[in-house]
Amino acid sequence: MPLYRDEGIVLRTQKLGEADRIVTLLTRGLGKVRVVGKGVRRTKSRFGARLEPAMMVDVQCYEGRNLDTVTQAESLASWGDVLARDYTTYTAAAAMLETADRLTEEREPNLQQYLLLQGALRSMAEGLHDPGLVLDAYLLRALAIAGWAPSFHDCARCGAEGPHRAFNLAAGGTVCPVCRPVGSAAPAPETLSLLAALLAGDWVVADASQGRHRREGSTLASAFLQWHLEKGVRSLRLVDRRDPDAQPRLDSRVTWAPAPLSVVKTVEEAHAAAQAQA
Amino acid sequence: MYEGVVQDLIDELGRLPGVGPKSAQRIAFHLLQADAIDVKRLVEVLTEVKAKVRFCETCGNVAESEQCRICADPRRDGTAICVVEEPKDVVAIERTREFRGRYHVLGGAISPIDGVGPDDLRIKELMTRLASAEVTEVIIATDPNLEGEATASYLARFLRPMGLRVTRLASGLPVGGDLEYADEVTLGRAFEGRRLLDV
């Protein structure tokens, strides 16, 4: 089979040589594949823009000895362009793409993961829900498909009917007072309800949740993912979470004033220092 | 496998970007056959470049002193700063001879999947430069790819409240290309950025 055609979502790209890129695609039929896009970094490339992360494409590839080569690519959905216009959605989408990359294997078809990622990217690009909620819902459901479905109601160890207050990563979710291991977390009941709603796709409950429960839920969802993956997901550290309860981070009425470089460590600190001086 | 110093040379050359084992072997044998004076000149240039060249303290571009040639030039327009990812982007823009302002090199683009966040780039140095009342416009010239666009939107979020004119390089059709081969994203951006024909 020298030539094959499939639809897929671009998970990541890596520079190769002078003007090429290695493109990692999660395809509908073949699972994850790594292909070479020849000359896609040149401004005159015919399909360079179609092989950017978060793009959904119909690709035709030629099988090679090590890596396959893209011969044609047509856009099916260009979510990447929309997502990159907002930093919050960009970082959340990057975390979803990296998670998909980590949870799938090369040349092992995984239609459920493909459809889940497709739905999550579409939802995020359309701005239907808070990007942080979409990300957490994606993480929980992707883990569930991978066989690590967390429990947010019944005891994850003995199955005793809930609701239970304690949450333990190693046990796989909420645990009853009898099974509760030492060091288990005790999140707010509303946080557990939010996580259960995200896992089940109950967006009415999720959208109505409060900021502090979303923050706690995000921490638990990220920790649950990191626990089950052997290597951490780097993008999660950089996700720019929107806090619905907080004031806007940048106040446009504040004029900029110089922040001494020596006393600031981060960009956030630089801006905070300038605001304080103003 | 070759023995001793020849293999060491091939190994060292093979560590350069874009040089595979075959190319490394070819370059090594070219150097072995070259005149001693040519090889000596190459060695001197390599030593000199490593000793002399550093990054400009103001903009992050490559320089041979504390400030690069552009930052040290008083004839350059100090009211406009063009923000680029890499020093090679400065060279590309300089070739156009369209821009007479100054530059700021970020040192990359925000890429969460590669673990590169805003604090890994020279963004806080840019903020400090912009504190100068002289600057009125920031031109964001990051690459027109996902990471470049996201970096541009991140910068715009910080720069707009400062009352500066924040602009982004236009995206569109390459000169000399055929319209039918343009992809939807590029063509869509060309439509977004269309301008009035002033004839």
Side-chain angles (χ1 to χ4, degrees):
Chain A
M1 191 177 68
L3 269 177
Y4 64 88
R5 187 178 163 183
D6 205 342
E7 67 170 60
I9 297 166
V10 179
L11 299 181
R12 68 177 303 179
T13 59
Q14 291 155 283
K15 286 181 182 175
L16 177 72
E18 192 86 351
D20 306 340
R21 271 206 182 106
I22 296 175
V23 181
T24 307
L25 285 159
L26 180 60
T27 62
R28 177 183 274 270
L30 290 167
K32 190 167 75 179
V33 290
R34 292 175 80 228
V35 295
V36 175
K38 293 225 184 258
V40 292
R41 280 157 60 201
R42 293 189 207 280
T43 49
K44 282 192 180 181
S45 167
R46 282 184 294 121
F47 46 73
R50 295 176 183 139
L51 296 175
E52 285 283 297
M55 300 289 273
M56 188 174 159
V57 283
D58 180 354
V59 284
Q60 180 172 280
C61 300
Y62 185 82
E63 274 191 6
R65 232 184 302 174
N66 297 319
L67 291 167
D68 304 343
T69 306
V70 181
T71 54
Q72 282 179 42
E74 290 293 328
S75 294
L76 297 175
S78 51
W79 296 309
D81 197 40
V82 180
L83 295 170
R85 290 178 191 189
D86 182 88
Y87 185 68
T88 306
T89 54
Y90 167 69
T91 52
M96 294 200 304
L97 295 172
E98 190 181 352
T99 304
D101 189 17
R102 301 291 305 282
L103 287 174
T104 51
E105 296 293 328
E106 281 189 42
R107 300 275 173 179
E108 283 185 20
N110 200 330
L111 184 61
Q112 278 184 294
Q113 289 285 8
Y114 174 77
L115 294 175
L116 178 69
L117 181 64
Q118 184 186 326
L121 287 172
R122 180 181 292 130
S123 169
M124 201 173 273
E126 288 174 357
L128 300 174
H129 309 283
D130 173 52
L133 287 180
V134 177
L135 169 63
D136 293 336
Y138 172 78
L139 297 181
L140 295 172
R141 291 190 216 174
L143 280 169
I145 293 170
W148 293 306
S151 169
F152 296 118
H153 190 261
D154 299 339
C155 177
R157 278 200 169 161
C158 67
E161 201 175 324
H164 303 295
R165 282 296 311 273
F167 185 90
N168 190 279
L169 295 175
T174 49
V175 278
C176 66
V178 179
C179 300
R180 178 181 177 152
V182 179
S184 298
E190 292 89 345
T191 303
L192 293 174
S193 303
L194 168 63
L195 290 172
L198 291 174
L199 184 60
D202 186 348
W203 286 102
V204 178
V205 172
D207 287 337
S209 60
Q210 290 181 6
R212 60 198 169 103
H213 301 134
R214 290 186 190 185
R215 274 195 300 278
E216 195 176 33
S218 298
T219 309
L220 288 179
S222 302
F224 199 73
L225 176 79
Q226 307 272 24
W227 173 266
H228 286 290
L229 295 177
E230 285 172 10
K231 238 172 71 182
V233 176
R234 290 201 282 190
S235 307
L236 279 175
R237 182 177 63 85
L238 294 165
V239 171
D240 183 54
R241 298 271 183 186
R242 231 180 246 164
D243 189 342
D245 297 341
Q247 294 297 314
R249 188 182 300 171
L250 298 180
D251 187 347
S252 56
R253 290 166 299 177
V254 175
T255 50
W256 178 259
L261 191 60
S262 55
V263 298
V264 295
K265 291 195 184 83
T266 65
V267 175
E268 303 286 338
E269 279 179 32
H271 197 273
Q275 282 190 330
Q277 283 188 19
Chain B
M1 282 287 280
Y2 296 89
E3 284 183 5
V5 73
V6 177
Q7 187 58 45
D8 291 347
L9 178 62
I10 293 171
D11 291 345
E12 286 304 315
L13 290 168
R15 287 169 60 188
L16 297 174
V19 180
K22 281 279 177 200
S23 304
Q25 189 177 303
R26 203 162 47 241
I27 298 167
F29 277 95
H30 170 78
L31 291 172
L32 284 175
Q33 286 164 1
D35 288 344
I37 196 159
D38 291 337
V39 177
K40 192 177 171 218
R41 196 167 57 240
L42 177 66
V43 170
E44 281 169 2
V45 170
L46 285 174
T47 313
E48 197 179 354
V49 82
K50 202 60 199 158
K52 276 190 180 172
V53 176
R54 51 181 138 166
F55 293 102
C56 172
E57 286 183 359
T58 309
C59 72
N61 192 11
V62 284
E64 288 190 25
S65 57
E66 279 185 8
Q67 286 202 317
C68 69
R69 183 178 49 83
I70 296 169
C71 288
D73 187 350
R75 291 168 301 172
R76 303 291 296 214
D77 178 12
T79 62
I81 288 186
C82 181
V83 180
V84 295
E85 289 183 17
E86 304 288 347
K88 59 190 178 198
D89 299 329
V90 173
V91 178
I93 295 173
E94 281 295 285
R95 274 203 305 262
T96 66
R97 298 183 182 184
E98 290 281 334
F99 180 65
R100 296 297 302 157
R102 298 184 194 276
Y103 293 91
H104 188 86
V105 181
L106 292 174
I110 298 171
S111 177
I113 208 159
D114 297 314
V116 180
D119 293 329
D120 301 309
L121 305 177
R122 298 182 72 255
I123 295 178
K124 59 177 186 288
E125 285 86 346
L126 173 66
M127 297 294 184
T128 309
R129 278 184 82 183
L130 296 180
S132 148
E134 194 189 12
V135 181
T136 56
E137 181 178 4
V138 177
I139 303 160
I140 304 175
T142 49
D143 288 347
N145 54 27
L146 193 75
E147 290 86 4
E149 293 296 339
T151 308
S153 38
Y154 181 85
L155 288 175
R157 195 168 79 169
F158 280 95
L159 299 179
R160 278 200 203 107
M162 293 162 62
L164 293 165
R165 184 167 183 248
V166 183
T167 54
R168 175 95 175 101
L169 285 194
S171 287
L173 301 168
V175 177
D178 282 7
L179 194 78
E180 64 169 312
Y181 290 119
D183 63 87
E184 306 77 30
V185 180
T186 310
L187 199 52
R189 287 214 197 148
F191 261 98
E192 264 179 20
R194 68 187 184 276
R195 60 189 167 84
L196 203 63
L197 269 181
D198 196 13
V199 285

